[in-house]
Amino acid sequence: MRQVWIPKAGPPEVLELREARDPIPKQGELRIRVAAAGVNFADVMGRLGLYPDLPPMPVVPGYEVAGRIDAVGDGVESDWVGRDVLAMTRFGGYADAVCVPEAQVSTRPPGMTAEEGAALPVNYLTAWQLLFVMGSLHAGETMLVHSAGGGVGIAATQLAKYVGARVFGTASAGKHDRLKALGVDACIDYTREDFEARVRELTHGRGVELILDAVGGASFMKSYRSLAPTGRLGMFGMSAAAAGKSRSLLRALGPALRTLRLRFKARRLIDQNKGVFGVNVGHLWDEGDRVASWMERLLALYVEGVVRPVVDRSFPLERAAEAHHYIQDRKNFGKVLLTA
Ligand SMILES: NC(=O)c1ccc[n+]([C@@H]2O[C@H](COP(=O)([O-])OP(=O)(O)OC[C@H]3O[C@@H](n4cnc5c(N)ncnc54)[C@H](OP(=O)(O)O)[C@@H]3O)[C@@H](O)[C@H]2O)c1
């Protein structure tokens, strides 16, 4: 089988395709013959050497796959073999085959393609946690989502519209028409407009009830100021630190320092009736049952036609570098995948 490795931090071209023996599933694991693997912004950050969760290099990145079970380890029912599945992988997803603990694997509902399956876990579980587990989004409220045209942004938009919320989204201008078609009520071109001023204008000075911010740095404080009374700010990433295609701690330092300097004073939170929270689905491996229950709800919503992963482009595994360029060039609308 083939795997894509990050041998050292650097530009997309450091990604290296290597041959390896098929992995053998251990006790409680299943082996997935991968048809499609999700490419996440975290993989880009990892390749840049800016992602502390990534195991030491050389490493095979990849948080999610879809494919077919072709072997099981001890303690796993053999009737899994031959099933079409999707799964969260704790790295190792950029490959033709990967072994995963049973708790992280779900059977794909009828009609769900491997591409849709690989596009779903990270983006939709993150959106679910942000909107409903911690963000408490309700009908009639307004949500602002940054990078609305990315994988999480589109997932969050679909779920917010489903519960009857209004959605504002920041994105590069070329994505606005497609966002409006998905139901986004107001698009903000963050390259030309100040989103804080625009939110104030759109809400007549009041602000919005929920903000999803994975840009980080100065954006967190601007988002905080854009909250209405009872508003909640969900922080879940720092894409501002990925300011170039090669590793540059200097470029990452500004957003990192601005994030470190954030101070949410208890007294101010109380008096302003505002909440702040953080989300990292990659740190919930010990909460398997809860995450599995969110996945069950998401798959039911897929069957209902509410959850509809938007796949922008699939690159063959050996062209993983192009997939990373595509995302860093801000070209993607929705999910980018690697296919076997
Ligand atoms: N904590 C978690 O559990 C979790 C899970 C998933 C994702 N995340 C975070 O959420 C954010 C979005 O993830 P995603 O998977 O939805 O992203 P994605 O699909 O890879 O989207 C990338 C988009 O983000 C925008 N962007 C903003 N800053 C950028 C930068 N410095 N370089 C390149 N593009 C930038 C660009 O769109 P526009 O120019 O149109 O804005 C780009 O097209 C990332 O920061 C990611 O790390 C966190």
Side-chain angles (χ1 to χ4, degrees):
M1 67 140 179
R2 303 162 309 155
Q3 295 173 311
V4 174
W5 288 78
I6 306 177
K8 58 176 192 244
E13 286 65 34
V14 295
L15 296 174
E16 206 176 286
L17 192 74
R18 295 185 194 164
E19 292 284 339
R21 284 179 184 214
D22 276 351
I24 309 293
K26 297 196 201 74
Q27 165 108 24
E29 288 186 343
L30 305 88
R31 185 172 67 201
I32 302 170
R33 198 53 58 185
V34 177
V39 180
N40 282 289
F41 207 84
D43 310 336
V44 170
M45 299 288 272
R47 195 206 74 230
L48 288 167
L50 298 174
Y51 195 62
D53 290 355
L54 193 74
M57 296 173 194
V59 63
V60 179
Y63 271 119
E64 58 194 345
V65 297
R68 184 166 289 175
I69 303 295
D70 74 347
V72 295
D74 286 345
V76 180
E77 295 292 340
S78 59
D79 64 359
W80 272 103
V81 174
R83 267 198 238 169
D84 288 332
V85 298
L86 55 80
M88 289 280 288
T89 51
R90 201 169 184 175
F91 308 104
Y94 283 28
D96 286 325
V98 64
C99 292
V100 183
E102 188 175 8
Q104 288 162 221
V105 183
S106 305
T107 302
R108 295 205 306 269
M112 182 186 279
T113 63
E115 282 76 14
E116 287 179 308
L120 191 146
V122 172
N123 291 162
Y124 283 85
L125 287 170
T126 304
W128 186 272
Q129 187 182 345
L130 283 161
L131 266 65
F132 306 136
V133 181
M134 300 181 80
S136 184
L137 186 68
H138 286 90
E141 292 191 325
T142 303
M143 173 184 87
L144 167 70
V145 55
H146 291 284
S147 309
V152 176
I154 291 176
T157 298
Q158 289 177 356
L159 294 174
K161 285 280 136 191
Y162 171 64
V163 297
R166 200 155 67 119
V167 178
F168 299 163
T170 71
S172 301
K175 302 176 188 174
H176 288 196
D177 286 346
R178 283 170 290 175
L179 284 172
K180 283 182 189 147
L182 284 180
V184 174
D185 299 274
C187 295
I188 303 172
D189 176 4
Y190 66 95
T191 63
R192 292 188 310 122
E193 300 173 285
D194 177 75
F195 78 80
E196 190 182 344
R198 189 82 182 99
V199 167
R200 216 179 303 125
E201 190 179 282
L202 286 163
T203 60
H204 310 291
R206 184 172 178 276
V208 298
E209 281 81 15
L210 179 63
I211 303 188
L212 314 186
D213 193 333
V215 175
S219 185
F220 284 152
M221 220 54 221
K222 285 170 71 67
S223 287
Y224 179 79
R225 289 195 297 265
S226 305
L227 291 174
T230 77
R232 295 82 65 193
L233 166 62
M235 298 173 287
F236 65 112
M238 214 200 295
S239 28
K245 288 194 177 163
S246 300
R247 179 176 163 84
S248 167
L249 290 179
L250 203 63
R251 278 195 299 253
L253 202 62
L257 282 178
R258 275 191 284 275
T259 304
L260 279 175
R261 271 198 233 113
L262 285 177
R263 293 275 180 273
F264 296 108
K265 294 209 171 65
R267 185 62 205 252
R268 201 176 304 156
L269 289 171
I270 293 169
D271 289 346
Q272 294 182 340
N273 286 291
K274 290 185 181 181
V276 291
F277 63 92
V279 160
N280 189 342
V281 282
H283 283 206
L284 287 177
W285 303 106
D286 295 333
E287 299 278 325
D289 288 350
R290 292 191 71 206
V291 177
S293 74
W294 306 343
M295 179 60 90
E296 219 172 282
R297 302 278 300 280
L298 286 165
L299 294 179
L301 286 175
Y302 175 85
V303 173
E304 281 181 42
V306 174
V307 162
R308 277 287 169 259
V310 173
V311 175
D312 179 330
R313 269 189 77 172
S314 299
F315 294 84
L317 198 56
E318 64 274 16
R319 286 168 51 198
E322 285 176 53
H324 278 217
H325 274 296
Y326 193 69
I327 289 177
Q328 283 203 273
D329 289 337
R330 301 171 195 248
K331 287 184 181 159
N332 66 304
F333 185 79
K335 195 74 185 177
V336 176
L337 299 173
L338 299 177
T339 42

